Amino acid sequence: MSSISAPIPQIQENGLLKVARALKEAGSMMWTGSPMPANLRELVEVGVPLVQTFKPLADRDKLLKMISQAEAAGVTWVGVEIDAGQGTKILDKSMVTGCSPILLSELKEIKQMINRPLVLKGILSPWDADKALEAGADVIMVSNHGAHTIDYLPHPLEVMDEIVKIVAGQIPIIVDGGFRRGTDILKALAFGAQAVGIGRPILYGLAAAGQEGVKTVINEMAEELKRTMTMTGVRNPSSAHRGIILTKYFCLF
Ligand SMILES: Cc1cc2nc3c(=O)[nH]c(=O)nc-3n(C[C@H](O)[C@H](O)[C@H](O)COP(=O)(O)O)c2cc1C
């Protein structure tokens, strides 16, 4: 699951708990974003690995305090959204304000401060990837936030090759943005991602059928992925390779 927690409490009563339980049962990870859920500890207690990501709030004292609260609640990883220096928006409507660009030196301080792996989300260029490594990131997420930061951003798969080259296997790479089927996930793996974040489909699953609906979304994607791996001769996720992807468009008619 990608960080997409904001609308969940309005979709179903105890929605966040239902999502946490569904993801745990499906063997997936949970990512929560802004606002940080008040019941974070309760979600962690479900036993699902949980990542809390933070926007670079202009009030840095508040940001650091919230990071400490997330750690105290027992999250698995702490995340910082490096590209949300002006918050996020959907079309022309601001969704989160009160942010300011975060410096490399500040990311290094956060890395020193926390006792959890640090994931930096919003990496979209080899330059970003290089700086993330310098900041001490343990994981990066290549993401354009579903195009909620600025218009005309590339899709993660358009920039993966350059980023994979810079990261050179030093840390895991996760991608998100528009992954809807097992076939999409296999493409991400073939481009060099170690995991894929799923955002809006989690909301649709919850709205359609609650906890069971979320589990079905993950399970069906996993089944499709397994089927497609079999059909393309990929024995395990880490052996997905670019040879299974057509790079030229052939038209027979
Ligand atoms: C309603 C909504 C809320 C979101 N909130 C956050 C957030 O708080 N933090 C974050 O890093 N990304 C946030 N995102 C971006 C998602 O985590 C994800 O990157 C994006 O939706 C792309 O994945 P998808 O196409 O599978 O939905 C949000 C997206 C949506 C639609």
Side-chain angles (χ1 to χ4, degrees), residues 2-7 31-35 53-55 81 88 90 95-96 121 141 143-148 176-180 197-201 203:
S2 287
S3 301
I4 196 153
S5 44
W31 290 50
T32 47
S34 306
T53 59
F54 295 93
K55 301 203 187 304
E81 300 162 37
T88 57
I90 293 184
M95 301 308 287
V96 181
K121 179 177 176 185
M141 185 179 236
S143 171
N144 66 19
H145 289 268
H148 289 166
D176 81 356
F179 293 89
R180 299 291 178 265
I198 310 297
R200 283 160 282 191
L203 308 183

PDB file of all heavy atoms in Angstrom, residues 2-7 31-35 53-55 81 88 90 95-96 121 141 143-148 176-180 197-201 203, ligand 1:
ATOM      1  N   SER A   2       0.495   2.240  -0.820  1.00  0.00           N
ATOM      2  CA  SER A   2       1.167   3.546  -0.786  1.00  0.00           C
ATOM      3  C   SER A   2       0.549   4.404   0.321  1.00  0.00           C
ATOM      4  O   SER A   2      -0.501   4.065   0.852  1.00  0.00           O
ATOM      5  CB  SER A   2       0.975   4.262  -2.119  1.00  0.00           C
ATOM      6  OG  SER A   2       1.763   3.654  -3.108  1.00  0.00           O
ATOM      7  N   SER A   3       1.217   5.534   0.635  1.00  0.00           N
ATOM      8  CA  SER A   3       0.661   6.458   1.648  1.00  0.00           C
ATOM      9  C   SER A   3      -0.603   7.084   1.095  1.00  0.00           C
ATOM     10  O   SER A   3      -0.535   7.972   0.243  1.00  0.00           O
ATOM     11  CB  SER A   3       1.639   7.597   1.916  1.00  0.00           C
ATOM     12  OG  SER A   3       2.847   7.118   2.369  1.00  0.00           O
ATOM     13  N   ILE A   4      -1.727   6.622   1.561  1.00  0.00           N
ATOM     14  CA  ILE A   4      -2.989   7.145   1.021  1.00  0.00           C
ATOM     15  C   ILE A   4      -4.054   7.100   2.099  1.00  0.00           C
ATOM     16  O   ILE A   4      -5.225   6.849   1.841  1.00  0.00           O
ATOM     17  CB  ILE A   4      -3.368   6.352  -0.245  1.00  0.00           C
ATOM     18  CG1 ILE A   4      -4.425   7.069  -1.045  1.00  0.00           C
ATOM     19  CG2 ILE A   4      -3.747   4.905   0.046  1.00  0.00           C
ATOM     20  CD1 ILE A   4      -4.379   6.750  -2.510  1.00  0.00           C
ATOM     21  N   SER A   5      -3.616   7.381   3.342  1.00  0.00           N
ATOM     22  CA  SER A   5      -4.493   7.139   4.490  1.00  0.00           C
ATOM     23  C   SER A   5      -5.553   8.214   4.701  1.00  0.00           C
ATOM     24  O   SER A   5      -6.581   7.944   5.329  1.00  0.00           O
ATOM     25  CB  SER A   5      -3.644   6.982   5.751  1.00  0.00           C
ATOM     26  OG  SER A   5      -2.632   7.967   5.797  1.00  0.00           O
ATOM     27  N   ALA A   6      -5.356   9.439   4.162  1.00  0.00           N
ATOM     28  CA  ALA A   6      -6.233  10.576   4.515  1.00  0.00           C
ATOM     29  C   ALA A   6      -7.729  10.290   4.335  1.00  0.00           C
ATOM     30  O   ALA A   6      -8.511  10.533   5.251  1.00  0.00           O
ATOM     31  CB  ALA A   6      -5.817  11.815   3.732  1.00  0.00           C
ATOM     32  N   PRO A   7      -8.165   9.776   3.167  1.00  0.00           N
ATOM     33  CA  PRO A   7      -9.625   9.624   3.013  1.00  0.00           C
ATOM     34  C   PRO A   7     -10.206   8.374   3.675  1.00  0.00           C
ATOM     35  O   PRO A   7     -11.422   8.221   3.712  1.00  0.00           O
ATOM     36  CB  PRO A   7      -9.795   9.545   1.480  1.00  0.00           C
ATOM     37  CG  PRO A   7      -8.468   9.214   0.923  1.00  0.00           C
ATOM     38  CD  PRO A   7      -7.428   9.413   1.960  1.00  0.00           C
ATOM     39  N   TRP A  31       1.340   1.839   4.404  1.00  0.00           N
ATOM     40  CA  TRP A  31       1.984   3.157   4.476  1.00  0.00           C
ATOM     41  C   TRP A  31       0.921   4.164   4.854  1.00  0.00           C
ATOM     42  O   TRP A  31      -0.149   4.197   4.225  1.00  0.00           O
ATOM     43  CB  TRP A  31       2.568   3.570   3.109  1.00  0.00           C
ATOM     44  CG  TRP A  31       3.757   2.790   2.677  1.00  0.00           C
ATOM     45  CD1 TRP A  31       3.889   1.444   2.638  1.00  0.00           C
ATOM     46  CD2 TRP A  31       5.004   3.330   2.200  1.00  0.00           C
ATOM     47  NE1 TRP A  31       5.128   1.110   2.155  1.00  0.00           N
ATOM     48  CE2 TRP A  31       5.833   2.239   1.885  1.00  0.00           C
ATOM     49  CE3 TRP A  31       5.480   4.636   1.994  1.00  0.00           C
ATOM     50  CZ2 TRP A  31       7.117   2.402   1.379  1.00  0.00           C
ATOM     51  CZ3 TRP A  31       6.762   4.799   1.494  1.00  0.00           C
ATOM     52  CH2 TRP A  31       7.579   3.694   1.204  1.00  0.00           C
ATOM     53  N   THR A  32       1.193   4.966   5.858  1.00  0.00           N
ATOM     54  CA  THR A  32       0.267   6.033   6.216  1.00  0.00           C
ATOM     55  C   THR A  32       0.956   7.370   5.958  1.00  0.00           C
ATOM     56  O   THR A  32       2.178   7.472   6.045  1.00  0.00           O
ATOM     57  CB  THR A  32      -0.161   5.910   7.697  1.00  0.00           C
ATOM     58  OG1 THR A  32       0.999   5.686   8.504  1.00  0.00           O
ATOM     59  CG2 THR A  32      -1.124   4.753   7.880  1.00  0.00           C
ATOM     60  N   GLY A  33       0.136   8.380   5.610  1.00  0.00           N
ATOM     61  CA  GLY A  33       0.702   9.685   5.247  1.00  0.00           C
ATOM     62  C   GLY A  33       0.124  10.807   6.087  1.00  0.00           C
ATOM     63  O   GLY A  33      -0.028  10.665   7.301  1.00  0.00           O
ATOM     64  N   SER A  34      -0.246  11.899   5.414  1.00  0.00           N
ATOM     65  CA  SER A  34      -0.757  13.080   6.121  1.00  0.00           C
ATOM     66  C   SER A  34      -2.286  13.104   6.062  1.00  0.00           C
ATOM     67  O   SER A  34      -2.839  12.869   4.989  1.00  0.00           O
ATOM     68  CB  SER A  34      -0.239  14.362   5.476  1.00  0.00           C
ATOM     69  OG  SER A  34       1.157  14.313   5.400  1.00  0.00           O
ATOM     70  N   PRO A  35      -2.962  13.400   7.173  1.00  0.00           N
ATOM     71  CA  PRO A  35      -2.404  13.589   8.506  1.00  0.00           C
ATOM     72  C   PRO A  35      -1.999  12.248   9.128  1.00  0.00           C
ATOM     73  O   PRO A  35      -2.595  11.219   8.817  1.00  0.00           O
ATOM     74  CB  PRO A  35      -3.570  14.224   9.275  1.00  0.00           C
ATOM     75  CG  PRO A  35      -4.794  13.717   8.592  1.00  0.00           C
ATOM     76  CD  PRO A  35      -4.434  13.556   7.151  1.00  0.00           C
ATOM     77  N   THR A  53       4.951   8.240   6.504  1.00  0.00           N
ATOM     78  CA  THR A  53       5.717   9.243   5.754  1.00  0.00           C
ATOM     79  C   THR A  53       5.263  10.644   6.142  1.00  0.00           C
ATOM     80  O   THR A  53       4.095  10.866   6.482  1.00  0.00           O
ATOM     81  CB  THR A  53       5.568   9.079   4.221  1.00  0.00           C
ATOM     82  OG1 THR A  53       4.204   9.202   3.867  1.00  0.00           O
ATOM     83  CG2 THR A  53       6.097   7.759   3.737  1.00  0.00           C
ATOM     84  N   PHE A  54       6.213  11.581   6.065  1.00  0.00           N
ATOM     85  CA  PHE A  54       5.956  12.962   6.491  1.00  0.00           C
ATOM     86  C   PHE A  54       6.265  13.937   5.372  1.00  0.00           C
ATOM     87  O   PHE A  54       7.269  13.780   4.659  1.00  0.00           O
ATOM     88  CB  PHE A  54       6.850  13.322   7.686  1.00  0.00           C
ATOM     89  CG  PHE A  54       6.537  12.518   8.908  1.00  0.00           C
ATOM     90  CD1 PHE A  54       7.226  11.344   9.176  1.00  0.00           C
ATOM     91  CD2 PHE A  54       5.535  12.920   9.774  1.00  0.00           C
ATOM     92  CE1 PHE A  54       6.931  10.582  10.303  1.00  0.00           C
ATOM     93  CE2 PHE A  54       5.231  12.174  10.905  1.00  0.00           C
ATOM     94  CZ  PHE A  54       5.929  11.005  11.168  1.00  0.00           C
ATOM     95  N   LYS A  55       5.433  14.969   5.286  1.00  0.00           N
ATOM     96  CA  LYS A  55       5.759  16.072   4.382  1.00  0.00           C
ATOM     97  C   LYS A  55       6.726  16.996   5.113  1.00  0.00           C
ATOM     98  O   LYS A  55       6.722  17.039   6.354  1.00  0.00           O
ATOM     99  CB  LYS A  55       4.486  16.832   4.013  1.00  0.00           C
ATOM    100  CG  LYS A  55       3.477  15.937   3.348  1.00  0.00           C
ATOM    101  CD  LYS A  55       2.504  16.681   2.500  1.00  0.00           C
ATOM    102  CE  LYS A  55       1.415  15.746   2.003  1.00  0.00           C
ATOM    103  NZ  LYS A  55       1.898  14.578   1.278  1.00  0.00           N
ATOM    104  N   GLU A  81       8.864  12.877   2.462  1.00  0.00           N
ATOM    105  CA  GLU A  81       8.521  13.176   1.067  1.00  0.00           C
ATOM    106  C   GLU A  81       9.379  14.359   0.628  1.00  0.00           C
ATOM    107  O   GLU A  81       9.118  15.495   1.012  1.00  0.00           O
ATOM    108  CB  GLU A  81       7.032  13.503   0.964  1.00  0.00           C
ATOM    109  CG  GLU A  81       6.161  12.357   1.424  1.00  0.00           C
ATOM    110  CD  GLU A  81       4.739  12.785   1.738  1.00  0.00           C
ATOM    111  OE1 GLU A  81       4.200  13.656   1.042  1.00  0.00           O
ATOM    112  OE2 GLU A  81       4.190  12.266   2.709  1.00  0.00           O
ATOM    113  N   THR A  88       0.985  19.397  -1.383  1.00  0.00           N
ATOM    114  CA  THR A  88       0.478  18.696  -2.566  1.00  0.00           C
ATOM    115  C   THR A  88      -0.830  19.335  -3.006  1.00  0.00           C
ATOM    116  O   THR A  88      -1.432  20.126  -2.289  1.00  0.00           O
ATOM    117  CB  THR A  88       0.235  17.195  -2.296  1.00  0.00           C
ATOM    118  OG1 THR A  88      -0.664  17.072  -1.204  1.00  0.00           O
ATOM    119  CG2 THR A  88       1.507  16.468  -2.011  1.00  0.00           C
ATOM    120  N   ILE A  90      -4.449  18.528  -5.781  1.00  0.00           N
ATOM    121  CA  ILE A  90      -5.140  17.689  -6.757  1.00  0.00           C
ATOM    122  C   ILE A  90      -5.748  18.656  -7.757  1.00  0.00           C
ATOM    123  O   ILE A  90      -6.529  19.537  -7.382  1.00  0.00           O
ATOM    124  CB  ILE A  90      -6.201  16.781  -6.100  1.00  0.00           C
ATOM    125  CG1 ILE A  90      -5.500  15.751  -5.206  1.00  0.00           C
ATOM    126  CG2 ILE A  90      -7.048  16.090  -7.167  1.00  0.00           C
ATOM    127  CD1 ILE A  90      -6.382  14.723  -4.557  1.00  0.00           C
ATOM    128  N   MET A  95      -4.024  20.501  -1.341  1.00  0.00           N
ATOM    129  CA  MET A  95      -4.494  19.489  -0.392  1.00  0.00           C
ATOM    130  C   MET A  95      -3.754  19.618   0.938  1.00  0.00           C
ATOM    131  O   MET A  95      -4.318  19.416   1.982  1.00  0.00           O
ATOM    132  CB  MET A  95      -4.273  18.080  -0.959  1.00  0.00           C
ATOM    133  CG  MET A  95      -4.980  17.817  -2.275  1.00  0.00           C
ATOM    134  SD  MET A  95      -6.731  18.216  -2.237  1.00  0.00           S
ATOM    135  CE  MET A  95      -7.390  16.890  -1.256  1.00  0.00           C
ATOM    136  N   VAL A  96      -2.460  19.905   0.856  1.00  0.00           N
ATOM    137  CA  VAL A  96      -1.670  20.083   2.079  1.00  0.00           C
ATOM    138  C   VAL A  96      -0.820  21.326   1.885  1.00  0.00           C
ATOM    139  O   VAL A  96      -0.162  21.477   0.851  1.00  0.00           O
ATOM    140  CB  VAL A  96      -0.743  18.872   2.353  1.00  0.00           C
ATOM    141  CG1 VAL A  96       0.046  19.082   3.632  1.00  0.00           C
ATOM    142  CG2 VAL A  96      -1.544  17.579   2.447  1.00  0.00           C
ATOM    143  N   LYS A 121      10.731   9.451  -0.217  1.00  0.00           N
ATOM    144  CA  LYS A 121       9.746   9.290  -1.285  1.00  0.00           C
ATOM    145  C   LYS A 121       9.734  10.526  -2.174  1.00  0.00           C
ATOM    146  O   LYS A 121       9.883  11.641  -1.685  1.00  0.00           O
ATOM    147  CB  LYS A 121       8.344   9.074  -0.678  1.00  0.00           C
ATOM    148  CG  LYS A 121       7.269   8.921  -1.741  1.00  0.00           C
ATOM    149  CD  LYS A 121       5.882   8.629  -1.174  1.00  0.00           C
ATOM    150  CE  LYS A 121       4.880   8.604  -2.321  1.00  0.00           C
ATOM    151  NZ  LYS A 121       3.500   8.455  -1.863  1.00  0.00           N
ATOM    152  N   MET A 141      11.713   5.644  -2.665  1.00  0.00           N
ATOM    153  CA  MET A 141      10.494   5.379  -3.429  1.00  0.00           C
ATOM    154  C   MET A 141      10.456   6.339  -4.611  1.00  0.00           C
ATOM    155  O   MET A 141      10.422   7.564  -4.442  1.00  0.00           O
ATOM    156  CB  MET A 141       9.238   5.549  -2.600  1.00  0.00           C
ATOM    157  CG  MET A 141       8.003   5.146  -3.402  1.00  0.00           C
ATOM    158  SD  MET A 141       6.501   5.307  -2.456  1.00  0.00           S
ATOM    159  CE  MET A 141       5.819   3.687  -2.551  1.00  0.00           C
ATOM    160  N   SER A 143       8.525   8.038  -7.195  1.00  0.00           N
ATOM    161  CA  SER A 143       7.087   8.341  -7.217  1.00  0.00           C
ATOM    162  C   SER A 143       6.864   9.776  -7.644  1.00  0.00           C
ATOM    163  O   SER A 143       7.658  10.658  -7.309  1.00  0.00           O
ATOM    164  CB  SER A 143       6.524   8.148  -5.802  1.00  0.00           C
ATOM    165  OG  SER A 143       5.199   8.619  -5.702  1.00  0.00           O
ATOM    166  N   ASN A 144       5.751   9.993  -8.368  1.00  0.00           N
ATOM    167  CA  ASN A 144       5.342  11.381  -8.606  1.00  0.00           C
ATOM    168  C   ASN A 144       4.073  11.687  -7.813  1.00  0.00           C
ATOM    169  O   ASN A 144       3.339  12.612  -8.147  1.00  0.00           O
ATOM    170  CB  ASN A 144       5.191  11.681 -10.104  1.00  0.00           C
ATOM    171  CG  ASN A 144       4.049  10.910 -10.748  1.00  0.00           C
ATOM    172  OD1 ASN A 144       3.157  10.423 -10.055  1.00  0.00           O
ATOM    173  ND2 ASN A 144       4.055  10.812 -12.067  1.00  0.00           N
ATOM    174  N   HIS A 145       3.826  10.871  -6.770  1.00  0.00           N
ATOM    175  CA  HIS A 145       2.667  11.070  -5.880  1.00  0.00           C
ATOM    176  C   HIS A 145       1.346  11.055  -6.656  1.00  0.00           C
ATOM    177  O   HIS A 145       0.416  11.785  -6.291  1.00  0.00           O
ATOM    178  CB  HIS A 145       2.777  12.386  -5.113  1.00  0.00           C
ATOM    179  CG  HIS A 145       3.839  12.384  -4.069  1.00  0.00           C
ATOM    180  ND1 HIS A 145       3.606  12.031  -2.755  1.00  0.00           N
ATOM    181  CD2 HIS A 145       5.151  12.679  -4.141  1.00  0.00           C
ATOM    182  CE1 HIS A 145       4.726  12.122  -2.067  1.00  0.00           C
ATOM    183  NE2 HIS A 145       5.683  12.512  -2.884  1.00  0.00           N
ATOM    184  N   GLY A 146       1.278  10.291  -7.722  1.00  0.00           N
ATOM    185  CA  GLY A 146       0.063  10.310  -8.533  1.00  0.00           C
ATOM    186  C   GLY A 146      -0.142  11.683  -9.155  1.00  0.00           C
ATOM    187  O   GLY A 146      -1.270  12.112  -9.367  1.00  0.00           O
ATOM    188  N   ALA A 147       0.981  12.390  -9.446  1.00  0.00           N
ATOM    189  CA  ALA A 147       0.976  13.742 -10.046  1.00  0.00           C
ATOM    190  C   ALA A 147       0.317  14.779  -9.138  1.00  0.00           C
ATOM    191  O   ALA A 147      -0.294  15.727  -9.612  1.00  0.00           O
ATOM    192  CB  ALA A 147       0.338  13.733 -11.427  1.00  0.00           C
ATOM    193  N   HIS A 148       0.484  14.592  -7.812  1.00  0.00           N
ATOM    194  CA  HIS A 148      -0.108  15.548  -6.867  1.00  0.00           C
ATOM    195  C   HIS A 148       0.885  16.596  -6.381  1.00  0.00           C
ATOM    196  O   HIS A 148       0.602  17.318  -5.429  1.00  0.00           O
ATOM    197  CB  HIS A 148      -0.673  14.807  -5.649  1.00  0.00           C
ATOM    198  CG  HIS A 148      -1.894  14.017  -5.974  1.00  0.00           C
ATOM    199  ND1 HIS A 148      -2.418  13.061  -5.154  1.00  0.00           N
ATOM    200  CD2 HIS A 148      -2.691  14.060  -7.065  1.00  0.00           C
ATOM    201  CE1 HIS A 148      -3.489  12.536  -5.721  1.00  0.00           C
ATOM    202  NE2 HIS A 148      -3.668  13.122  -6.884  1.00  0.00           N
ATOM    203  N   ASP A 176       5.758   3.666  -7.224  1.00  0.00           N
ATOM    204  CA  ASP A 176       4.299   3.666  -7.231  1.00  0.00           C
ATOM    205  C   ASP A 176       3.785   4.644  -8.273  1.00  0.00           C
ATOM    206  O   ASP A 176       4.541   5.431  -8.837  1.00  0.00           O
ATOM    207  CB  ASP A 176       3.699   3.925  -5.826  1.00  0.00           C
ATOM    208  CG  ASP A 176       3.645   5.390  -5.416  1.00  0.00           C
ATOM    209  OD1 ASP A 176       4.132   6.274  -6.155  1.00  0.00           O
ATOM    210  OD2 ASP A 176       3.098   5.663  -4.337  1.00  0.00           O
ATOM    211  N   GLY A 177       2.471   4.538  -8.533  1.00  0.00           N
ATOM    212  CA  GLY A 177       1.826   5.447  -9.483  1.00  0.00           C
ATOM    213  C   GLY A 177       1.175   4.686 -10.626  1.00  0.00           C
ATOM    214  O   GLY A 177       1.846   4.330 -11.592  1.00  0.00           O
ATOM    215  N   GLY A 178      -0.110   4.385 -10.480  1.00  0.00           N
ATOM    216  CA  GLY A 178      -0.861   3.799 -11.590  1.00  0.00           C
ATOM    217  C   GLY A 178      -0.694   2.294 -11.762  1.00  0.00           C
ATOM    218  O   GLY A 178      -1.060   1.768 -12.809  1.00  0.00           O
ATOM    219  N   PHE A 179      -0.171   1.611 -10.757  1.00  0.00           N
ATOM    220  CA  PHE A 179      -0.020   0.146 -10.875  1.00  0.00           C
ATOM    221  C   PHE A 179      -1.353  -0.504 -10.498  1.00  0.00           C
ATOM    222  O   PHE A 179      -1.809  -0.367  -9.370  1.00  0.00           O
ATOM    223  CB  PHE A 179       1.143  -0.348 -10.002  1.00  0.00           C
ATOM    224  CG  PHE A 179       2.465   0.155 -10.514  1.00  0.00           C
ATOM    225  CD1 PHE A 179       2.976   1.364 -10.077  1.00  0.00           C
ATOM    226  CD2 PHE A 179       3.146  -0.557 -11.485  1.00  0.00           C
ATOM    227  CE1 PHE A 179       4.170   1.856 -10.594  1.00  0.00           C
ATOM    228  CE2 PHE A 179       4.343  -0.075 -11.997  1.00  0.00           C
ATOM    229  CZ  PHE A 179       4.857   1.140 -11.554  1.00  0.00           C
ATOM    230  N   ARG A 180      -1.967  -1.149 -11.454  1.00  0.00           N
ATOM    231  CA  ARG A 180      -3.332  -1.641 -11.253  1.00  0.00           C
ATOM    232  C   ARG A 180      -3.477  -3.142 -11.443  1.00  0.00           C
ATOM    233  O   ARG A 180      -4.481  -3.718 -11.031  1.00  0.00           O
ATOM    234  CB  ARG A 180      -4.300  -0.936 -12.244  1.00  0.00           C
ATOM    235  CG  ARG A 180      -4.345   0.569 -12.067  1.00  0.00           C
ATOM    236  CD  ARG A 180      -5.025   0.931 -10.748  1.00  0.00           C
ATOM    237  NE  ARG A 180      -5.061   2.358 -10.516  1.00  0.00           N
ATOM    238  CZ  ARG A 180      -4.164   3.043  -9.791  1.00  0.00           C
ATOM    239  NH1 ARG A 180      -3.149   2.407  -9.220  1.00  0.00           N
ATOM    240  NH2 ARG A 180      -4.291   4.336  -9.609  1.00  0.00           N
ATOM    241  N   GLY A 197       4.187   0.127  -4.755  1.00  0.00           N
ATOM    242  CA  GLY A 197       3.137   0.679  -3.888  1.00  0.00           C
ATOM    243  C   GLY A 197       1.826   0.785  -4.644  1.00  0.00           C
ATOM    244  O   GLY A 197       1.802   1.164  -5.809  1.00  0.00           O
ATOM    245  N   ILE A 198       0.749   0.441  -3.952  1.00  0.00           N
ATOM    246  CA  ILE A 198      -0.590   0.516  -4.545  1.00  0.00           C
ATOM    247  C   ILE A 198      -1.380   1.542  -3.741  1.00  0.00           C
ATOM    248  O   ILE A 198      -1.510   1.399  -2.518  1.00  0.00           O
ATOM    249  CB  ILE A 198      -1.333  -0.847  -4.426  1.00  0.00           C
ATOM    250  CG1 ILE A 198      -0.468  -2.013  -4.931  1.00  0.00           C
ATOM    251  CG2 ILE A 198      -2.687  -0.804  -5.132  1.00  0.00           C
ATOM    252  CD1 ILE A 198      -0.117  -1.957  -6.380  1.00  0.00           C
ATOM    253  N   GLY A 199      -1.887   2.568  -4.392  1.00  0.00           N
ATOM    254  CA  GLY A 199      -2.612   3.630  -3.679  1.00  0.00           C
ATOM    255  C   GLY A 199      -4.110   3.521  -3.824  1.00  0.00           C
ATOM    256  O   GLY A 199      -4.788   2.826  -3.061  1.00  0.00           O
ATOM    257  N   ARG A 200      -4.648   4.161  -4.858  1.00  0.00           N
ATOM    258  CA  ARG A 200      -6.108   4.268  -4.986  1.00  0.00           C
ATOM    259  C   ARG A 200      -6.863   2.935  -5.013  1.00  0.00           C
ATOM    260  O   ARG A 200      -7.963   2.856  -4.441  1.00  0.00           O
ATOM    261  CB  ARG A 200      -6.452   5.150  -6.194  1.00  0.00           C
ATOM    262  CG  ARG A 200      -6.259   6.624  -5.856  1.00  0.00           C
ATOM    263  CD  ARG A 200      -6.096   7.512  -7.050  1.00  0.00           C
ATOM    264  NE  ARG A 200      -4.741   7.407  -7.602  1.00  0.00           N
ATOM    265  CZ  ARG A 200      -4.249   8.231  -8.514  1.00  0.00           C
ATOM    266  NH1 ARG A 200      -5.003   9.213  -8.974  1.00  0.00           N
ATOM    267  NH2 ARG A 200      -2.999   8.091  -8.950  1.00  0.00           N
ATOM    268  N   PRO A 201      -6.311   1.856  -5.598  1.00  0.00           N
ATOM    269  CA  PRO A 201      -7.072   0.590  -5.559  1.00  0.00           C
ATOM    270  C   PRO A 201      -7.405   0.130  -4.133  1.00  0.00           C
ATOM    271  O   PRO A 201      -8.409  -0.553  -3.921  1.00  0.00           O
ATOM    272  CB  PRO A 201      -6.141  -0.400  -6.274  1.00  0.00           C
ATOM    273  CG  PRO A 201      -5.355   0.457  -7.213  1.00  0.00           C
ATOM    274  CD  PRO A 201      -5.120   1.739  -6.462  1.00  0.00           C
ATOM    275  N   LEU A 203      -8.309   2.117  -1.732  1.00  0.00           N
ATOM    276  CA  LEU A 203      -9.529   2.862  -1.374  1.00  0.00           C
ATOM    277  C   LEU A 203     -10.751   2.229  -2.031  1.00  0.00           C
ATOM    278  O   LEU A 203     -11.803   2.097  -1.421  1.00  0.00           O
ATOM    279  CB  LEU A 203      -9.425   4.332  -1.811  1.00  0.00           C
ATOM    280  CG  LEU A 203      -8.185   5.126  -1.377  1.00  0.00           C
ATOM    281  CD1 LEU A 203      -8.299   6.578  -1.856  1.00  0.00           C
ATOM    282  CD2 LEU A 203      -8.015   5.077   0.133  1.00  0.00           C
TER     283      LEU A 203
HETATM  284  C1  LIG B   1      -6.293  10.939  -1.566  1.00  0.00           C
HETATM  285  C2  LIG B   1      -4.785  10.782  -1.643  1.00  0.00           C
HETATM  286  C3  LIG B   1      -4.004  11.069  -0.517  1.00  0.00           C
HETATM  287  C4  LIG B   1      -2.613  10.931  -0.577  1.00  0.00           C
HETATM  288  N1  LIG B   1      -1.861  11.229   0.523  1.00  0.00           N
HETATM  289  C5  LIG B   1      -0.513  11.079   0.479  1.00  0.00           C
HETATM  290  C6  LIG B   1       0.282  11.368   1.626  1.00  0.00           C
HETATM  291  O1  LIG B   1      -0.196  11.797   2.668  1.00  0.00           O
HETATM  292  N2  LIG B   1       1.619  11.161   1.522  1.00  0.00           N
HETATM  293  C7  LIG B   1       2.200  10.689   0.370  1.00  0.00           C
HETATM  294  O2  LIG B   1       3.428  10.492   0.334  1.00  0.00           O
HETATM  295  N3  LIG B   1       1.469  10.428  -0.732  1.00  0.00           N
HETATM  296  C8  LIG B   1       0.134  10.606  -0.699  1.00  0.00           C
HETATM  297  N4  LIG B   1      -0.615  10.311  -1.812  1.00  0.00           N
HETATM  298  C9  LIG B   1       0.057   9.733  -3.009  1.00  0.00           C
HETATM  299  C10 LIG B   1      -0.017   8.203  -2.954  1.00  0.00           C
HETATM  300  O3  LIG B   1       0.750   7.694  -1.868  1.00  0.00           O
HETATM  301  C11 LIG B   1       0.540   7.567  -4.253  1.00  0.00           C
HETATM  302  O4  LIG B   1       1.878   7.984  -4.422  1.00  0.00           O
HETATM  303  C12 LIG B   1      -0.282   7.941  -5.487  1.00  0.00           C
HETATM  304  O5  LIG B   1      -1.674   7.877  -5.216  1.00  0.00           O
HETATM  305  C13 LIG B   1       0.061   7.064  -6.692  1.00  0.00           C
HETATM  306  O6  LIG B   1      -0.371   5.743  -6.542  1.00  0.00           O
HETATM  307  P1  LIG B   1      -1.766   5.160  -7.179  1.00  0.00           P
HETATM  308  O7  LIG B   1      -1.780   5.564  -8.638  1.00  0.00           O
HETATM  309  O8  LIG B   1      -1.660   3.661  -6.993  1.00  0.00           O
HETATM  310  O9  LIG B   1      -2.890   5.781  -6.420  1.00  0.00           O
HETATM  311  C14 LIG B   1      -1.991  10.488  -1.780  1.00  0.00           C
HETATM  312  C15 LIG B   1      -2.790  10.207  -2.904  1.00  0.00           C
HETATM  313  C16 LIG B   1      -4.165  10.358  -2.854  1.00  0.00           C
HETATM  314  C17 LIG B   1      -4.997  10.043  -4.095  1.00  0.00           C
END
